Amino acid sequence: MILRFYCKLSDGSEKIFTNSLGFTFVKEAFTPYTTLNARISGLNFPEDIQEIKLYIDGRYVHHGIVDTYRLSRSNGVDKLTISARGYTALLTENQLPPALYTDMTFNRLFDEYFQLPNITHENNSETSYIYVNKGTPMWDGAANLCWKLKGTYPYIRGTNKVMMSMPDDAVTRTYLPESYMDCGTEVNTRFMVSHYNMADIDGNYNIFSAQSQEAIDRNIIRHRHFELDKRFLYEPSSACDYRIMMAERNYKRRYITVVGYNGEDINDILNCEGYENQRIKGVRISGSGKGIFTKISF
């Protein structure tokens, strides 16, 4: 497979590098941005790179801000180590002014407040309200709005596109057992909470509550109490349900690993042995001298 790293320099020019010593790209349904870590060798690397794009066999996989950049030179050969996050990471680093926003839409949230570079979003004009506390980042506002409108969590599809609905262009992908490098199950219960209890406007508890049967069945008993969450003033009972959903997101997943990369993306539909019509929730592409492999989680 052909790798191309497009590196934008501080003067605005762009250079292309193809000699990868190893890379890892990760996209998760519950992470607001993609990540790329890569090592590249070559000649005459620039002293500074501001952003990086990754193409695999012509597929546009990643475009992000360079977080860390290390350049070393030995025996006339440059080696570059780079770490980058997709531009949607900026949604976690820009804060909305504290207020109650009525008639909020996905379009308004992304189009009216900050002009963030290289980020697109689903075209959606459904309305609800969000309450923004001091220090709340844009992504939390998007998550709150998505929960109210869809009962789900926003995710990144394509390159830096924020989505709240299931994609109209989802691809159905079928994998036969002989195509797997490996397969398995992963479980992480560290963040599960069994009981949430929210106070009412007068500070009284045991009024609004929710429990996780999954956590209780596992004998994971963790009680959490919190003050009235103004983000849910019109539907206070859903404040606890929202926290249960967040605590259980991604706690259990199955995966297969296949050779190469075929454009798999979040919320594409996967069929494999024993499972049909599963939504893909994680894509991890790794490359080394042994080849390129994609771990697909659902």
Side-chain angles (χ1 to χ4, degrees), residues 15 17 19 40-46 73 75-79:
K15 287 193 174 183
F17 302 100
N19 192 13
I40 310 168
S41 68
L43 298 172
N44 300 318
F45 279 111
R73 184 173 291 113
N75 297 322
V77 177
D78 288 342
K79 291 184 179 180

Side-chain angles (χ1 to χ4, degrees), residues 35-197:
T35 60
L36 174 66
N37 292 281
R39 293 182 299 117
I40 310 168
S41 68
L43 298 172
N44 300 318
F45 279 111
E47 291 295 330
D48 185 26
I49 294 174
Q50 293 186 343
E51 60 184 67
I52 187 169
K53 300 176 184 176
L54 169 63
Y55 286 79
I56 302 177
D57 275 356
R59 293 187 176 94
Y60 189 20
V61 177
H62 176 86
H63 184 192
I65 304 165
V66 173
D67 288 322
T68 64
Y69 175 99
R70 186 175 74 249
L71 177 63
S72 62
R73 184 173 291 113
S74 177
N75 297 322
V77 177
D78 288 342
K79 291 184 179 180
L80 172 66
T81 302
I82 200 163
S83 176
R85 293 174 298 158
Y87 269 95
T88 52
L90 294 174
L91 298 172
T92 69
E93 298 166 354
N94 283 272
Q95 298 175 351
L96 292 168
L100 174 64
Y101 296 80
T102 59
D103 297 321
M104 178 61 77
T105 71
F106 219 52
N107 292 349
R108 182 184 170 198
L109 178 64
F110 285 99
D111 295 339
E112 292 188 9
Y113 295 98
F114 303 109
Q115 297 300 313
L116 301 179
N118 302 308
I119 297 173
T120 60
H121 62 85
E122 173 185 334
N123 180 14
N124 193 302
S125 296
E126 296 177 75
T127 61
S128 186
Y129 75 95
I130 58 173
Y131 183 88
V132 174
N133 290 304
K134 183 178 180 181
T136 297
M138 282 187 71
W139 182 262
D140 286 9
N144 189 234
L145 183 62
C146 187
W147 170 257
K148 289 186 172 76
L149 293 174
K150 302 291 184 181
T152 57
Y153 196 73
Y155 64 97
I156 307 304
R157 186 167 168 85
T159 307
N160 296 308
K161 183 176 183 179
V162 186
M163 299 283 294
M164 63 188 303
S165 307
M166 288 295 105
D168 294 331
D169 60 348
V171 178
T172 298
R173 303 179 182 277
T174 300
Y175 304 89
L176 299 177
E178 53 266 29
S179 69
Y180 309 167
M181 293 293 295
D182 67 351
C183 59
T185 302
E186 298 174 335
V187 177
N188 184 347
T189 65
R190 289 178 295 172
F191 305 107
M192 296 180 74
V193 175
S194 58
H195 298 80
Y196 277 106
N197 194 305

